[in-house]
Amino acid sequence: MTGAHEASGRLSGKVALVVGAGSSGPGWGNGKAAAVLFAREGAHVVAVDRDAAAVAETVALIEREGSTAIAVVGDVTRPESCEEMVAAATEVHGRLDILHNNVGILRQGGVVDQSLDDWHAVIDTNLTGTYLTCKAAIPAMLSSGGGSIVNVSSAAGMRYLGVPYASYAASKAGLLQLTVTTAVEYAARGIRVNTVVPGLIDTPMVAGSLRGAYGDDELEELRRVRNEQVPMGRMGEAWDVAHAALFLASDDAKYVTGTQLVVDGGLTAKC
C-alpha cells in the first residue's frame, strides 16, 4: 500500500459515498485513493464504480487495513442507479454525510473533429452524472442534518492545457459552476459543496487515454513533457487529490463552501 500517513480520525463515524472508487488500470486513481484515505480516517465508506472488479479491489484494500467498506456497482448516467447507491448507504448506515464525486472520462478532439456520440458520452458522465448523484444524495444529507459534497473538476476546466479535449474541458468547467450554484443554495441548510481542481495528475485513466491516442512508444516521452509543464517539475499523484478531498470533506473545512481547491503544482498560476 502507498499513500501512508498518520491517521487522526478526521472522518470518524461519518458515512462517505465515494463514486468512481475503482481504478481504470493498475495503480491509484483519484477515487480509489480517496476511498482508502477516507477509510483510514474513520469513515464508513460506500465505494461505487461501474466496474465490479475495480470496486471490489478497492474494498479489499480497505478491509486489508482493518476497516470496513461496502461495494456498489453503479452508473452515474442512470438516475435510478444514483438513487440505489444513496439507498445502499442509508440502508446500511442510516445516514449520509459525505458525497465524493470522482467519475470522469476523456475523449480527445476539438469541436470539429469530435463525434457527437463522444461529446454526449463525456458530458453525460462528467457533468450530468454529478448532477444526478447530488440530486439523489442531498435529500439524504438533509435528513442527516447536513453534509459535505466534494466534486472533482480539472484544470482543463479553467485553462487550455495543450490538448484539444473540448468535451472534457466543457464538462469540467460546467462542474465548477454547478458546484457554486449548489453550494449557495444549500449553505444555510448545512450542506457544503466544494470542488477539487487537479492539474496534471499521473493516474491510470490519464495513462490509458494517452496510450490510446499516441501509443506505448510515445507514452514515456509524453510523461516527460507533462512533468516539464508543471512549475514543481512533476505531475501530481492520486494521493495529492485525495488529501485535498479529505480536507474539504472533513470538519476542518466547516466554514468552506462554494470554493475551488486547485491541486496542480502551480500549473494554472503559470498558464
Side-chain angles (χ1 to χ4, degrees):
M1 292 285 283
T2 57
H5 79 297
E6 186 174 345
S8 58
R10 295 162 78 183
L11 302 182
S12 181
K14 304 278 190 184
V15 178
L17 182 63
V18 181
V19 187
S23 184
S24 60
W28 291 93
N30 296 333
K32 182 179 178 181
V36 171
L37 184 61
F38 285 12
R40 288 174 180 173
E41 288 291 338
H44 303 295
V45 173
V46 179
V48 180
D49 203 274
R50 65 181 179 182
D51 185 326
V55 73
E57 179 190 13
T58 300
V59 169
L61 290 169
I62 291 171
E63 292 175 339
R64 193 180 305 163
E65 293 193 348
S67 299
T68 59
I70 61 173
V72 176
V73 178
D75 181 351
V76 298
T77 67
R78 296 173 50 240
E80 62 273 20
S81 184
C82 295
E83 292 167 2
E84 289 166 2
M85 61 183 75
V86 171
T90 57
E91 287 170 6
V92 172
H93 299 292
R95 60 184 297 115
L96 180 62
D97 303 292
I98 297 163
L99 169 64
H100 187 27
N101 284 305
N102 285 277
V103 174
I105 62 172
L106 283 164
R107 296 289 188 273
Q108 189 172 0
V111 294
V112 173
D113 56 330
Q114 186 168 71
S115 71
L116 185 58
D117 285 344
D118 279 351
W119 172 271
H120 282 305
V122 173
I123 297 297
D124 288 352
T125 302
N126 298 1
L127 183 56
T128 306
T130 298
Y131 151 74
L132 289 173
T133 57
C134 290
K135 187 179 184 68
I138 286 173
M141 287 185 170
L142 291 172
S143 297
S144 303
S148 174
I149 298 173
V150 183
N151 298 322
V152 176
S153 181
S154 169
M158 302 171 66
R159 303 284 192 277
Y160 180 73
L161 301 181
V163 180
Y165 289 118
S167 56
Y168 181 77
S171 70
K172 293 301 188 177
L175 185 56
L176 294 174
Q177 193 59 26
L178 176 64
T179 299
V180 169
T181 299
T182 310
V184 173
E185 182 178 359
Y186 288 97
R189 302 178 70 182
I191 295 178
R192 299 183 297 103
V193 192
N194 293 289
T195 313
V196 178
V197 185
L200 300 178
I201 310 296
D202 195 2
T203 65
M205 185 188 78
V206 171
S209 174
L210 292 173
R211 184 178 290 111
Y214 299 101
D216 286 326
D217 293 343
E218 296 180 78
L219 185 57
E220 287 309 310
E221 174 61 17
L222 286 165
R223 277 203 171 103
R224 184 191 66 77
V225 171
R226 284 166 68 88
N227 284 334
E228 290 182 351
Q229 283 182 262
V230 182
M232 283 188 174
R234 61 173 178 81
M235 286 187 284
E237 59 182 15
W239 296 103
D240 298 317
V241 180
H243 279 279
L246 171 62
F247 166 69
L248 292 173
S250 76
D251 290 340
D252 289 345
K254 62 184 176 62
Y255 197 57
V256 179
T257 196
T259 198
Q260 303 164 8
L261 179 50
V262 179
V263 183
D264 71 350
L267 179 67
T268 53
K270 181 187 78 169
C271 290

